[in-house]
Amino acid sequence: MDYQDCFAFQQKFFKSNVTKGIPFRIQELKRLKQVLQQHEELLYEAIYKDFKKSRKETYLTEFSLLYKEIDLALKKVKKWSQKRKASVSLANLPAKSYIIPEPLGVSLIIGAWNYPYQLSLAPAIAAIAAGCTVILKPSELPSNTSAAMKKMINENFDPHFFKVIEGGVEETTALLKLNFDKIFFTGSVPVGKIVYQAAAKNLTPVTLELGGKSPAIITEDVDIDMTAKRLVWAKFLNAGQTCIAPDYVVVQESIKGNFLKAVVARIEEANYDVANENYTEIINRKNFDRLHSLIDADHIYYGGKSNEETKTIEPTILSEVSWEDTIMNDEIFGPILPVLTFTDINQAIEQIKSRPKPLSLYVYTKSSKIRNKIMAEISFGGGAVNDSLMHIIETSMPFGGVGNSGIGNYHGKYGFDAFTHYKSVLQKSFWIELNLKHSPYTDFKFKWLKRLIG
Ligand code: NAD
């Protein structure tokens, strides 16, 4: 089946209205949960082959989030899909108004490689809950996980409803030419722009989950050890290949020395080592070389060594970094942490604001004044106070970027909304008609019309 055929079949299936039924959506969500559980072993093996990601980390950062999303959707899909009443203005009485959530239709989901299961399947869960059909194009970089997902989905789902199509740039470019009802993309900013342009040709609504440089701001009043512990975990999880990882730290000058010592102590305690299966490889040679070139020997405070053969780079801390240094230009997406300092919080805020809006921002402080100032003045996708990364597990909050870090959001009900159109309907009967709006107009009618309509 080629793309065109697959797309045409899905369009036909969607128009049959089968996916709109709540029992169907529940059945398919349950199927996905069961299929995932049955294939956990295959998926663990595939991701280990691709970038040595361990079972425990895979469960923690991929499966646990997916099961949580499925369970929530199963519990709430009926409520989310219900027609809901809206108020009616005087000018329309007697009448009723209501809003009908309807699935957008045939959706294309394009995944990124760094959390290959979660980033492909969480949007798919949202699409299924909303009643859409799904063509999923996982990232081609982790080839084993892409193949495992293809096997798992294509052997267990009707392709008219849910199909995985593997491929890279060529295949994605061909898919993007089709007139999808929704495109959900996770990946880099430059490719996000390509996807947005392709979608614009068909006026297809998009969700773009992109990246960027996410700062962590640390003031002098914090618990330094706990801050270091939380930051080190968030930065070196998946070897820094996390879209919401703290990209760089801006710490108050007065605690810089103690903070750096605490970070090093925590890195050593965590014992990041591929042999221990608790430290992930860099995905490919291209990224390894890119990261390697970002390590400026003059700035190494800790680490800096790498192994070409195992594609690993040890946790690396760069100090005495300035806002103008090369490492501050683009998202790092690896285990290198530049540490900058500030003496005046206003200057740090201005620097962050002069750059593209980050996907995440973390502030570690006991000062409510500083926290409130940062929340009020800096625009960012989402984040945390006195922690990093963990906001992602809260399905009660939307997850997504703003400006350069993305368009739209998902997780929980917000994911359902990303694949849903809210259709607004005003319903009247025939027993009365307000004459005021009808021609011929008179001053009397106009006076009352202004009062009723405003
Ligand atoms: P990427 O943009 O290179 O690739 C993403 C997807 O786009 C892949 O499926 C790939 O096949 C496809 N693609 C690549 N080039 C293309 C082209 N020219 N035309 C059409 N399709 C193309 O991103 P990546 O390397 O997989 O992921 C890393 C980036 O993704 C980082 O910037 C990271 O911050 C971001 N990211 C964001 C989130 C989020 O939730 N916001 C999550 C993970 C990663």
Side-chain angles (χ1 to χ4, degrees), residues 266-301:
R266 184 54 212 150
I267 290 173
E268 290 185 347
E269 260 167 38
N271 189 22
Y272 290 120
D273 182 351
V274 196
N276 289 343
E277 286 196 358
N278 65 351
Y279 197 57
T280 312
E281 275 182 13
I282 305 303
I283 183 70
N284 57 18
R285 186 60 203 245
K286 192 174 152 208
N287 272 296
F288 177 87
D289 290 343
R290 178 184 64 79
L291 288 164
H292 193 255
S293 74
L294 286 175
I295 302 176
D296 180 345
D298 293 343
H299 291 296
I300 297 175
Y301 177 83

Side-chain angles (χ1 to χ4, degrees), residues 174-230:
L175 280 167
L176 284 170
K177 291 201 173 113
L178 302 173
N179 192 356
F180 282 96
D181 299 299
K182 169 79 191 183
I183 297 176
F184 191 108
F185 171 81
T186 304
S188 61
V189 175
V191 181
K193 289 180 183 172
I194 295 172
V195 171
Y196 203 11
Q197 275 171 356
K201 290 207 175 113
N202 293 317
L203 288 181
T204 301
V206 293
T207 301
L208 302 176
E209 294 285 338
L210 311 178
K213 287 183 90 62
S214 299
I217 305 166
I218 303 169
T219 64
E220 61 188 0
D221 58 359
V222 295
D223 177 327
I224 293 182
D225 288 337
M226 202 180 291
T227 301
K229 190 167 191 175
R230 289 175 181 170

